[in-house]
Amino acid sequence: MNTIIKKASLTGGIMLKYSYSMTEGDVKNLVNITSDAPVHDDLRKAFRNMIPFFVHVCEETTKESLIKSAIKDPEEHLERKEDDEEGKEYPLLNFRVFGFEIGGKDDSEGIKLIGEKRLAIGDWITFTTPLIRLDGDYKFIAELTEAAYTLRHEVFEYMQGKQAPRQAQFNMFDSNEEEEEGI
């Protein structure tokens, strides 16, 4: 059996909607799943690490040195910076990537990134990159290919059960009733 992740997107910022093709013998099935299991931090980080590519491909910045630096050390550019609320020092803070879709054929596969940009008025605008061929001549193709592999791998791991623990929901009144009854 061969399983290939085709697309995924974060829903509500903490859950995942994904599709994969599953081939068994000569039968190929496309499976779509919407899960309510919270995503693991590694998967969230894999989505976040796609931001420099998203920003660069959508021509939201022409500073290739910034993109190169953000690809090399994403935590420096993509973690919330308390002293940079407007995203002037770290402009990549104004973006997020929450989805991807794999297209093309096996020998000429590509990826589309789906994300958002925070506007000056505080609202978000959503857009999608064109298909970026992983065998193409995109300037950061090696790094993008590696990041895409990691992202797909983390989605596969999520499918296999690598998920964040569910928060135990305690009802304050239930615990008080048990104490009062001496249980």
Side-chain angles (χ1 to χ4, degrees):
M1 182 167 42
N2 188 20
T3 303
I4 299 172
I5 305 299
K6 300 304 271 181
K7 64 181 174 178
S9 62
L10 294 170
T11 59
I14 60 168
M15 295 170 281
L16 194 68
K17 182 186 218 179
Y18 58 97
S19 299
Y20 62 94
S21 66
M22 185 172 55
T23 306
E24 193 167 353
D26 61 347
V27 176
K28 187 175 190 175
N29 294 302
L30 182 63
V31 181
N32 297 306
I33 307 269
T34 301
S35 177
D36 69 349
V39 297
H40 192 275
D41 285 340
D42 293 341
L43 178 53
R44 191 181 326 275
K45 181 179 176 182
F47 272 106
R48 196 172 52 241
N49 289 347
M50 300 304 276
I51 292 172
F53 306 106
F54 177 71
V55 170
H56 188 248
V57 170
C58 292
E59 300 176 354
E60 288 295 315
T61 185
T62 57
K63 296 178 184 176
E64 288 189 5
S65 60
L66 171 67
I67 298 303
K68 188 174 185 176
S69 175
I71 291 169
K72 184 178 178 186
D73 186 10
E75 300 304 315
E76 176 65 23
H77 296 276
L78 303 175
E79 287 295 312
R80 172 138 329 268
K81 304 289 184 192
E82 306 289 326
D83 58 341
D84 190 32
E85 291 181 17
E86 295 178 20
K88 293 186 185 200
E89 186 175 349
Y90 298 97
L92 301 184
L93 292 175
N94 289 322
F95 296 89
R96 55 185 173 205
V97 172
F98 60 84
F100 72 91
E101 185 174 339
I102 303 297
K105 303 288 183 202
D106 294 334
D107 57 342
S108 184
E109 204 170 60
I111 187 169
K112 288 182 182 181
L113 300 174
I114 306 156
E116 298 177 307
K117 176 184 179 183
R118 183 178 37 222
L119 302 174
I121 60 172
D123 291 337
W124 291 85
I125 184 169
T126 303
F127 49 101
T128 304
T129 67
L131 186 72
I132 310 160
R133 296 268 179 222
L134 297 178
D135 63 349
D137 59 357
Y138 173 60
K139 183 167 183 88
F140 301 108
I141 197 66
E143 296 89 345
L144 174 61
T145 301
E146 183 179 332
Y149 172 82
T150 300
L151 182 55
R152 289 172 81 179
H153 177 73
E154 287 299 331
V155 172
F156 183 78
E157 290 291 313
Y158 177 88
M159 288 173 48
Q160 302 301 312
K162 182 180 178 183
Q163 300 157 355
R166 291 186 183 268
Q167 295 294 327
Q169 295 181 357
F170 298 105
N171 187 331
M172 188 169 66
F173 298 108
D174 289 342
S175 64
N176 285 343
E177 289 174 10
E178 290 175 359
E179 288 174 10
E180 289 174 7
E181 294 174 11
I183 297 176

